[in-house]
Amino acid sequence: MTNSIFSPKPGSKRIDRQIAREARNSAYELDLELSSVEKVCREGCDHCCYQTTWVNSWEAEEISRYVIEKMSDDTKSIVKNQMENWHKWFDSVSRKSTRESPLTFYEVRQLDISAAENHIPCPYLIDNKCSIYKARPFMCRTHIVKKSPEQCREEPLRDSEINRSELIKKYIYERYDKKKRPIVFKPLPYIMIEGIEVECEKRPMLGFIIGGEDK
């Protein structure tokens, strides 16, 4: 008879642990490289958390693992409520799209702008802190400003002041086997993370797709 010393939590069996581990290791190396970069970003400063965060399907596996295995039930309850509120806002300002007529890149970009200007928070933001900080998306890790932190409050769409494209290329595109599974980018609240059951009306949208085998 075999004694089981580990009982997977609901949803965890659907996580691709190899991909999650690859994303986690890549994020660790990215953090090491950025540790020497001058920045004014500090704990509790959450202005950039009101911008729409785009997440790729590679790192979504690691976020899912973190939510299922590390997040407390109380925190999950708060995130679930905030996630549903985000979708209510999203549904109120977007058209009813279909698979045949998904939201276009232009429409989604306008929603990004509206979210920032109307101070719509990321559903994972709790008490001015990121509840998935250790597994936060690459977009968040590479959002760095080097001076004038008060400018972030005045400019809700203020961009990062470092070369993000080179870092994304180095730590995502060049690490991930895109032939095995394409990378799809969509807004964080729109990638329904395992471990949080959210009731919402899904509205199809175009996503940035990179890689995949030619058909």
Side-chain angles (χ1 to χ4, degrees):
M1 182 174 67
T2 302
N3 293 323
S4 175
I5 60 174
F6 174 71
S7 179
K9 294 186 178 181
S12 63
K13 290 184 179 180
R14 293 192 290 274
I15 302 301
D16 190 320
R17 291 186 175 277
Q18 179 180 347
I19 291 179
R21 183 168 56 253
E22 291 172 355
R24 185 164 64 253
N25 291 340
S26 190
Y28 174 76
E29 293 180 31
L30 170 63
D31 287 347
L32 284 179
E33 179 170 336
L34 293 177
S35 63
S36 60
V37 176
E38 178 187 358
K39 52 185 173 291
V40 295
C41 306
R42 294 291 183 271
E43 182 178 351
C45 179
D46 63 354
H47 298 303
C48 58
C49 300
Y50 293 84
Q51 295 185 15
T52 301
T53 300
W54 283 74
V55 176
N56 65 72
S57 50
W58 186 47
E59 60 187 335
E61 296 289 347
E62 169 58 10
I63 296 174
S64 297
R65 185 201 66 81
Y66 185 86
V67 167
I68 292 172
E69 300 180 359
K70 302 297 182 181
M71 184 177 283
S72 69
D73 289 339
D74 288 343
T75 300
K76 284 183 183 179
S77 179
I78 296 173
V79 171
K80 172 183 170 68
N81 181 62
Q82 295 183 162
M83 186 84 75
E84 290 177 345
N85 286 337
W86 186 94
H87 278 278
K88 288 178 182 177
W89 167 81
F90 181 84
D91 292 345
S92 72
V93 295
S94 63
R95 67 178 172 84
K96 288 184 175 294
S97 59
T98 63
R99 289 184 178 276
E100 293 71 30
S101 179
L103 294 173
T104 65
F105 291 115
Y106 175 78
E107 289 176 305
V108 174
R109 177 53 182 165
Q110 295 308 303
L111 293 171
D112 289 350
I113 295 173
S114 178
E117 292 180 342
N118 288 283
H119 218 53
I120 305 299
C122 170
Y124 288 99
L125 183 67
I126 300 177
D127 295 331
N128 305 104
K129 296 181 180 180
C130 176
S131 62
I132 56 170
Y133 187 78
K134 291 185 178 180
R136 67 195 185 284
F138 280 75
M139 181 177 176
C140 302
R141 293 174 188 272
T142 58
H143 189 102
I144 292 176
V145 296
K146 300 181 178 181
K147 58 184 179 180
S148 306
E150 64 279 356
Q151 184 179 341
C152 295
R153 183 188 300 277
E154 300 167 359
E155 298 180 19
L157 287 166
R158 186 182 186 185
D159 200 0
S160 177
E161 295 179 345
I162 63 173
N163 189 334
R164 302 170 98 174
S165 60
E166 287 300 316
L167 292 171
I168 296 298
K169 177 182 177 182
K170 179 179 180 181
Y171 290 101
I172 297 180
Y173 300 160
E174 295 180 357
R175 301 292 183 90
Y176 182 68
D177 185 356
K178 295 177 287 298
K179 291 184 178 180
K180 181 189 301 183
R181 177 179 173 185
I183 295 177
V184 180
F185 284 84
K186 286 191 175 181
L188 176 57
Y190 217 73
I191 294 183
M192 304 311 295
I193 303 301
E194 296 285 356
I196 297 180
E197 299 298 328
V198 177
E199 295 183 7
C200 67
E201 177 186 335
K202 287 193 175 183
R203 299 197 175 181
M205 67 175 65
L206 293 174
F208 297 94
I209 302 176
I210 301 174
E213 293 280 13
D214 294 333
K215 301 296 183 179

